[in-house]
Amino acid sequence: QALASAQPIGSTQSSIITLQYTVQEGDSTNNLTASYANGGTFDVRDGVNHAVLIPQYSLATGLTVDGIRPVPTLSLFPNPGTTSSGLTFGGTISFSEPVTGALLANDFKLTNATVSAISGPNATGNYSFTLTPVSNGKVSVEIIASSITDTAGNSFTPSNLITFKADYAPPA
């Protein structure tokens, strides 16, 4: 992925140059490389604070770039399969990286179901909830919005969608 250019702020004729770079979604310290037009470069892909590699300019220490959104994975237990007669399901949401923030009922996109007992994050960063189908028929659950963010403040992407058929009718 090609990254946008950092733009100098103020004078470039001093011993320190200040660059402004707007982090884009998908950017991270691991894929950021910078170069100077006269051939000098610095590279922060390994997350180490590098010394001066650009003649007459210095790189500020502590540079970290994180434009990668956390990815949630939604699971239900027991697994409902394609059809289920289960009355309630325990749900968990795990993330691809550490996150913080509250998960609320209106963060769920539900069809023919309610959520309750929402809690988290626990010690491993997972959230839990209970899903209860309302009636026979299609049930779906997905996490679409929340105040949950990673340590850089990135919001998460929507979760996977789980769909199944609730069937409480007794056998004929």
Side-chain angles (χ1 to χ4, degrees):
Q1 165 182 342
L3 300 178
S5 298
Q7 302 300 318
I9 299 174
S11 173
T12 59
Q13 303 302 313
S14 67
S15 62
I16 297 177
I17 185 170
T18 302
L19 299 174
Q20 177 178 326
Y21 174 76
T22 302
V23 176
Q24 302 170 40
E25 185 174 336
D27 292 354
S28 75
T29 303
N30 295 329
N31 68 6
L32 178 65
T33 301
S35 61
Y36 185 64
N38 72 0
T41 63
F42 60 88
D43 182 341
V44 293
R45 284 183 288 189
D46 59 6
V48 174
N49 296 327
H50 293 276
V52 178
L53 297 177
I54 299 175
Q56 79 190 27
Y57 297 110
S58 66
L59 174 62
T61 61
L63 176 64
T64 301
V65 174
D66 181 353
I68 302 201
R69 295 168 62 178
V71 178
T73 301
L74 179 63
S75 303
L76 291 179
F77 304 97
N79 183 334
T82 57
T83 302
S84 179
S85 60
L87 298 178
T88 63
F89 298 88
T92 62
I93 304 160
S94 58
F95 286 87
S96 59
E97 61 182 287
V99 295
T100 60
L103 182 65
L104 306 173
N106 61 357
D107 297 328
F108 290 79
K109 182 177 180 182
L110 301 167
T111 301
N112 190 30
T114 62
V115 293
S116 60
I118 301 168
S119 65
N122 63 16
T124 59
N126 295 335
Y127 293 75
S128 63
F129 63 94
T130 300
L131 179 83
T132 304
V134 174
S135 63
N136 287 336
K138 178 183 175 182
V139 175
S140 67
V141 58
E142 178 181 18
I143 311 301
I144 57 167
S146 175
S147 61
I148 296 172
T149 61
D150 67 10
T151 56
N154 298 309
S155 61
F156 66 85
T157 62
S159 74
N160 55 307
L161 171 68
I162 295 178
T163 302
F164 64 96
K165 180 181 175 188
D167 183 3
Y168 302 119

